[in-house]
Amino acid sequence: MIKLYFYGSTATSRKARNWLIDHKITFKEKNITASQLSREDFNHILSLTESGIDDIVSKRTLIYKELSPIWDELTLNEIFEYIIENPVLLKKPLIFDENKLQIGFNSDDIRMFLPKEFRVAEKNLFSNN
């Protein structure tokens, strides 16, 4: 099952949601300002990253800038708690399933969530033209 974590009504979150709907992909969405990020999903998202926390945390946020002097000293549990209290720390949206993660919205990269048969058929269709 694909999960879409977002907060607020940002353009990138709306684009991701609309893309999934337009492509008739079943997904579960969570607004993390209304429903907290679960520890299980947090750990799973981290397992799908290349650089861990650095991949999913927005360093442009005020809260990150305030924490930056001590950021490298924080434990994973402390970072998780800061994210729960300040979901704005997360980049948005986070789209993931069992094996794939997309951070933000990219109309090319999000295609990885299409079923393989569809991607192969589409590739064949365009290569024959």
Side-chain angles (χ1 to χ4, degrees), residues 5 7 32 37-39 41-61 64 71 76 79-80 83 86-96 101-104:
Y5 272 86
Y7 57 89
I32 57 175
L37 174 68
S38 72
R39 171 76 68 172
D41 280 348
F42 177 71
N43 290 336
H44 181 65
I45 290 166
L46 285 178
S47 76
L48 297 173
T49 64
E50 291 182 17
S51 300
I53 292 292
D54 287 341
D55 284 350
I56 64 171
V57 169
S58 175
K59 296 181 178 180
R60 297 182 196 174
T61 62
Y64 178 83
W71 186 258
L76 194 55
I79 291 172
F80 177 72
I83 290 172
N86 306 280
V88 70
L89 272 168
L90 286 178
K91 291 180 181 176
K92 62 205 170 298
L94 295 174
I95 310 161
F96 62 98
L101 168 68
Q102 181 173 346
I103 302 163

Side-chain angles (χ1 to χ4, degrees), residues 1-4 19-20 25 41 44-49 94-103 109-116 119:
M1 166 67 69
I2 294 170
K3 293 184 180 180
L4 169 67
W19 189 93
L20 293 167
I25 296 175
D41 280 348
H44 181 65
I45 290 166
L46 285 178
S47 76
L48 297 173
T49 64
L94 295 174
I95 310 161
F96 62 98
D97 64 11
E98 296 78 26
N99 304 307
K100 301 176 288 291
L101 168 68
Q102 181 173 346
I103 302 163
D109 293 345
I110 197 170
R111 302 185 69 67
M112 75 175 116
F113 293 105
L114 289 170
K116 184 176 181 177
R119 291 190 320 265

Side-chain angles (χ1 to χ4, degrees), residues 1 8 17 36 38 66 77 124 126:
M1 166 67 69
R17 183 179 189 278
Q36 291 182 344
S38 72
E66 291 171 358
N77 286 333
N124 290 337
F126 287 116

Side-chain angles (χ1 to χ4, degrees), residues 10-32:
T10 64
T12 55
S13 296
R14 283 192 310 272
K15 285 179 185 177
R17 183 179 189 278
N18 290 337
W19 189 93
L20 293 167
I21 291 169
D22 291 346
H23 287 83
K24 296 176 179 38
I25 296 175
T26 304
F27 66 100
K28 186 176 187 177
E29 61 184 321
K30 279 191 149 183
N31 182 334
I32 57 175

